[in-house]
Amino acid sequence: MSNSKKPVSKPSLPAETHQMVTEPDQSLTTNHGLVIADNQNSLKAGERGPSLLEDFVLREKITHFDHERIPERIVHARGSGAHGYFQVYKSQSDITKAAFLQDPKVKTEVFVRFSTVAGGAGSGDLPRDVRGFAVKFYTSEGNYDLVGNNIPVFFIQDAIKFPDLVHSVKMEPDRGFPQAASAHDTFWDFATLTPESMHMLMWVMSDRAIPRSLRMIEGFGVHTFRMINAAGESRFVKFHWRPKLGAASVVWDEAVKINGADPDFHRRDLWEAIDKGDFPEWELGLQVFDQATADSLDFDILDATKLIPEEIIPLRIVGKLVLNRNPDNFFAETEQVAFLPTNIVPGIDFSNDPLLQGRLFSYQDTQLSRLGGPNFHQIPVNRPRCPMHNFQRDGLRQMDVPKGRVNYEPNSLDSGAPRENPARGFVSHPEPMDGIKLRQRSATFADHYSQARMFFRSMTSPEQTHIASALAFELGKVETKAIRERMLAHLLIIDPSLHKTVANALGMQTKDESIKAAIDPRDVALSPSLSLIAKAPVTLAGRKVGVLVTDGFDSSLLTALRTALQDEAAALCLIAPKVGGAKDSSGQLVEADFALSAAPSVFFDAVAILASEAGANDLATQAAAVDWVSDAFAHLKVIGHVAGAAPLLKRAGVGTDSGLVPIPGEQAIASFVEAAKKGRLWQREPSLRRPG
Ligand code: HDE
């Protein structure tokens, strides 16, 4: 096709628009390459006549559109993806022969998909839910997929219960609601009849389930895996991802409001950070241990409802993951990426965890129906980046054109055809196996309460209160009293003080001791490293500060604040009553990033009010502005303010505490920044809300 722009006539246009048009650089074509002359009108029998079946252009376009959607994932349907790389800090050859864990000079390409679990693809980003954290490493030895979550344990111990778990948490089948919510009868019915879920329930009720940002979640491989070195020595390993920005969460009331104000809050945050070059990073940590250590633990390492406290086996930090490129196309990449826990490489192997074993079957199977056949590995995001050859042929959606006569092995007709390679090929760890066929849970899996108790008691006081509040909210939405009572009976075993708080919050004074633990919980050593608040970094890096201005504001103060926040690697978002902006005290118009109505304070980690007194008086009559301030206070944020902001602060009814930082002039900006770096003021919370 010539690219020269010569004028061509366009006879199919209606008479009134009949004109000479310029030939475009790229002509629109059908899927088979035929150039389309008119993309505005279907082929009809006469100007006002019926459309003709012959119109293959129309039919091709509509047919393709009709099939634009593929079945969404059964779980983890809502997700956000990004490209990046993984780099090991130093060779891990003592524990594994995996090639991507050897050379610190090598950057291994990755694609990562974060997700919520229960909601559909169009659901909001901030339900109380587990987050998926799936990483595809395109290694030189084939794709390695580490398909984990942001919580290190799981609800169930055996894969056979997964469909029941998922059915119970998803929308109830008769009514089709609630969407993306565990706060309903069927979930709590299942969970309370499944004592092994108690530890995970503590995590899901904790702040971990309402993260501030996908850039601020931890990740876990959950199961115990194996690593094998070149000498064939096997060790057990647990995988951890640690965010460089620190892990952080929102408070529940904020999550509820964010979901309404910006259902794409997490997706947008990840996209924007990468887009502006603020690349999210995680470090990969391993807990490596041998059989003797495994035997010394008071739980079974094959039980996915248990974690190994870092206080017992510290993390060995081995490398970093950097996400530095947004997808070019959401559907082609994020939607079509197919993670398979069976994608492993020499040097890594599975354990016999019965939950993992079921997953080894499920993912391949689900892709067959989701991606329409056995050739989904040919989709660009799923293709290995290393050479790939075998004799699997044909099938739906075959994109390759294999050549030659030979499509079987062994063969003698093609000496260049692929052959097995015992030297480099994957060999399963030769673990001795001997046993009788049976359907039975090992007795070593029977302690369902000790780690639930350990997790709850390892939390700081605000975190414990949040767990109790979440339980009160969730159970408060459960209509069937017997289910609420059953959960209270479990809580009594986990921790009597938690039971008491939740029972009080629900106004249910039962002390039901009808549930008997298969094994009475033990008071194991606490694990303070499980608390997010205890290890929260003092930083504003990657955080956002919302600055509210009105006409007459002090622009030199704003400039100084902007510089101070830049120095902390934080972003400043300028908010004015109107998006067009506000005039500073010299009458100069400064454009805003957002109008107040479009940027509630729940979007920010800290706020500052630089309003003039006249502006603040006016804002004090506007509910959106009053909510902006009272929400920031209720969400325990640091609020910087100039003297002129007083009428608005007063109307919002905010108290005075160390989180209200006056900014009388540029010299006070440092105190605002120092206060904001500490994050939320947990000490403010007891005066504002209690469970129930
Ligand atoms: Fe999954 N899981 N899962 N899962 N899972 C899927 O695979 C399954 C489990 C996890 O971003 C599905 O491609 C079974 C644990 C993530 O695309 C499906 C069992 C953990 C993702 C499936 C589990 C996970 C999935 C649905 C119990 C944490 C999203 C669509 C034996 C370690 C990956 C798909 C992405 C997705 C099955 C339990 C993590 C149906 C049978 C435990 C992060 O195959």
Side-chain angles (χ1 to χ4, degrees):
M1 232 350 284
S2 152
N3 273 343
S4 66
K5 295 197 175 185
K6 62 176 183 321
V8 290
S9 68
K10 204 155 183 253
S12 63
L13 286 172
E16 67 278 13
T17 53
H18 197 116
Q19 55 186 305
M20 298 298 274
V21 293
T22 305
E23 182 160 330
D25 286 344
Q26 280 199 73
S27 296
L28 197 66
T29 72
T30 64
N31 286 337
H32 303 281
L34 181 74
V35 173
I36 295 173
D38 182 344
N39 191 35
Q40 321 300 323
N41 301 289
S42 50
L43 190 66
K44 296 186 223 46
E47 265 181 19
R48 302 182 57 249
S51 301
L52 297 181
L53 186 60
E54 183 193 318
D55 190 349
F56 60 92
V57 178
L58 170 76
R59 280 189 291 118
E60 182 195 81
K61 186 174 175 184
I62 299 282
T63 306
H64 195 275
F65 170 77
D66 291 344
H67 297 270
E68 267 180 15
R69 291 291 167 275
I70 59 173
E72 64 178 38
R73 290 165 175 80
I74 300 149
V75 280
H76 297 265
R78 168 128 189 121
S80 306
H83 297 270
Y85 67 87
F86 174 80
Q87 197 168 15
V88 72
Y89 290 144
K90 64 173 201 180
S91 172
Q92 302 299 315
S93 59
D94 58 327
I95 50 169
T96 179
K97 61 183 178 190
F100 78 106
L101 292 171
Q102 304 304 322
D103 185 350
K105 289 195 289 300
V106 172
K107 288 184 176 176
T108 301
E109 190 187 334
V110 300
F111 187 81
V112 175
R113 184 174 179 273
F114 302 105
S115 46
T116 55
V117 179
S123 56
D125 277 348
L126 266 155
R128 174 172 296 285
D129 199 355
V130 184
R131 299 300 183 286
F133 192 138
V135 183
K136 188 181 283 294
F137 300 78
Y138 303 94
T139 87
S140 59
E141 298 174 307
N143 290 349
Y144 169 53
D145 293 357
L146 180 53
V147 196
N149 281 342
N150 75 329
I151 290 180
V153 290
F154 203 63
F155 293 100
I156 48 172
Q157 296 171 321
D158 189 306
I160 202 163
K161 302 186 88 162
F162 192 65
D164 299 302
L165 164 71
V166 173
H167 287 171
S168 81
V169 74
K170 285 231 156 203
M171 300 178 295
E172 296 191 12
D174 52 354
R175 57 210 70 185
F177 61 82
Q179 166 77 277
S182 52
H184 58 115
D185 286 46
T186 56
F187 173 71
W188 286 97
D189 188 27
F190 175 83
T192 51
L193 293 170
T194 311
E196 71 209 56
S197 68
M198 289 303 142
H199 185 196
M200 178 72 165
L201 286 176
M202 291 294 108
W203 282 81
V204 176
M205 294 302 111
S206 82
D207 298 342
R208 301 267 181 166
I210 41 173
R212 154 70 181 87
S213 158
L214 297 172
R215 299 175 292 132
M216 298 172 202
I217 60 173
E218 294 185 345
F220 303 90
V222 177
H223 314 279
T224 299
F225 291 87
R226 280 180 188 278
M227 278 193 165
I228 325 280
N229 64 15
E233 292 161 349
S234 156
R235 292 175 181 81
F236 294 115
V237 64
K238 291 248 180 199
F239 293 97
H240 297 247
W241 292 110
R242 288 293 150 90
K244 271 291 196 53
L245 295 175
S249 293
V250 296
V251 297
W252 174 243
D253 183 62
E254 223 179 346
V256 171
K257 289 173 175 161
I258 292 173
N259 251 344
D262 184 6
D264 305 302
F265 186 69
H266 282 158
R267 181 176 287 182
R268 187 188 309 282
D269 170 88
L270 181 69
W271 176 277
E272 287 180 354
I274 296 174
D275 202 41
K276 68 176 191 213
D278 189 4
F279 301 140
E281 267 188 53
W282 285 260
E283 289 196 304
L284 179 64
L286 305 179
Q287 284 178 302
V288 184
F289 54 102
D290 57 14
Q291 186 68 55
T293 311
D295 295 341
S296 73
L297 298 169
D298 52 11
F299 52 87
D300 196 323
I301 57 151
L302 301 183
D303 173 359
T305 68
K306 306 295 187 297
L307 59 84
I308 307 180
E310 274 173 62
E311 288 78 0
I312 299 179
I313 303 180
L315 297 197
R316 159 175 170 156
I317 300 293
V318 300
K320 68 171 177 181
L321 166 74
V322 179
L323 297 183
N324 59 8
R325 184 163 67 85
N326 278 316
D328 290 316
N329 184 277
F330 180 86
F331 179 84
E333 299 175 282
T334 310
E335 194 57 20
Q336 294 199 110
V337 64
F339 291 97
L340 304 168
T342 35
N343 275 353
I344 47 168
V345 288
I348 302 180
D349 207 343
F350 314 118
S351 71
N352 298 332
D353 172 345
L355 191 68
L356 173 62
Q357 294 283 317
R359 295 180 73 204
L360 301 182
F361 159 75
S362 176
Y363 289 63
Q364 174 83 14
D365 186 42
T366 211
Q367 309 310 347
L368 294 179
S369 61
R370 214 169 65 75
L371 298 170
N375 291 312
F376 61 86
H377 60 280
Q378 296 179 6
I379 296 172
V381 71
N382 295 325
R383 273 185 188 271
R385 305 303 191 242
C386 61
M388 181 231 132
H389 343 253
N390 61 36
F391 297 111
Q392 293 171 31
R393 291 288 186 268
D394 309 343
L396 282 174
R397 317 257 187 304
Q398 174 60 258
M399 300 292 153
D400 291 341
V401 184
K403 298 201 175 81
R405 258 176 110 180
V406 162
N407 58 359
Y408 55 91
E409 203 266 347
N411 66 70
S412 63
L413 297 184
D414 181 356
S415 59
R419 298 275 187 269
E420 12 174 87
N421 182 340
R424 282 211 300 123
F426 178 81
V427 180
S428 295
H429 178 66
E431 185 188 358
M433 289 288 148
D434 188 18
I436 50 165
K437 271 193 216 167
L438 80 181
R439 291 184 186 276
Q440 194 175 301
R441 200 76 57 87
S442 165
T444 52
F445 282 38
D447 176 2
H448 304 317
Y449 297 95
S450 297
Q451 287 210 346
R453 175 181 288 180
M454 174 194 75
F455 177 75
F456 178 72
R457 293 188 180 168
S458 299
M459 296 294 104
T460 57
S461 161
E463 289 169 305
Q464 290 190 347
T465 308
H466 298 164
I467 292 174
S469 303
L471 282 162
F473 172 84
E474 299 262 323
L475 295 174
K477 292 192 99 175
V478 169
E479 294 158 7
T480 310
K481 192 173 164 206
I483 298 176
R484 278 183 257 136
E485 285 171 345
R486 221 186 288 145
M487 189 60 204
L488 286 172
H490 286 293
L491 294 179
L492 195 58
I493 304 175
I494 295 172
D495 185 277
S497 77
L498 175 63
H499 167 269
K500 193 168 161 213
T501 315
V502 178
N504 273 340
L506 292 173
M508 292 176 65
Q509 298 311 329
T510 58
K511 221 171 173 207
D512 180 354
E513 295 182 9
S514 59
I515 292 183
K516 294 276 170 265
I519 292 185
D520 283 334
R522 277 158 301 139
D523 288 330
V524 297
L526 298 187
S527 175
S529 64
L530 296 177
S531 159
L532 288 186
I533 291 183
K535 64 180 177 192
V538 175
T539 183
L540 271 176
R543 272 68 173 174
K544 280 188 183 162
V545 177
V547 179
L548 179 59
V549 295
T550 61
D551 282 349
F553 76 96
D554 177 348
S555 62
S556 52
L557 198 57
L558 176 65
T559 309
L561 183 56
R562 199 182 284 283
T563 311
L565 291 176
Q566 261 162 12
D567 292 347
E568 299 293 336
L572 184 153
C573 277
L574 192 66
I575 295 137
K578 296 180 182 170
V579 70
K583 287 185 181 157
D584 66 15
S585 47
S586 68
Q588 182 83 22
L589 182 73
V590 178
E591 275 188 24
D593 296 313
F594 294 105
L596 180 62
S597 57
S601 61
V602 291
F603 292 176
F604 309 109
D605 298 280
V607 298
I609 308 165
L610 305 190
S612 65
E613 192 170 343
N617 268 316
D618 183 45
L619 286 181
T621 66
Q622 299 300 308
V626 176
D627 289 348
W628 202 86
V629 182
S630 61
D631 271 353
F633 186 77
H635 301 146
L636 318 173
K637 289 172 187 169
V638 168
I639 304 176
H641 58 90
V642 294
L648 182 57
L649 293 173
K650 187 161 175 242
R651 183 70 210 282
V654 302
T656 45
D657 61 27
S658 60
L660 277 134
V661 184
I663 315 182
E666 289 174 30
Q667 72 292 347
I669 285 176
S671 351
F672 167 70
V673 169
E674 279 319 301
K677 277 167 75 171
K678 293 192 195 125
R680 293 172 203 267
L681 264 91
W682 299 111
Q683 65 271 29
R684 190 189 285 162
E685 195 166 38
S687 66
L688 292 169
R689 64 177 77 87
R690 58 172 181 269

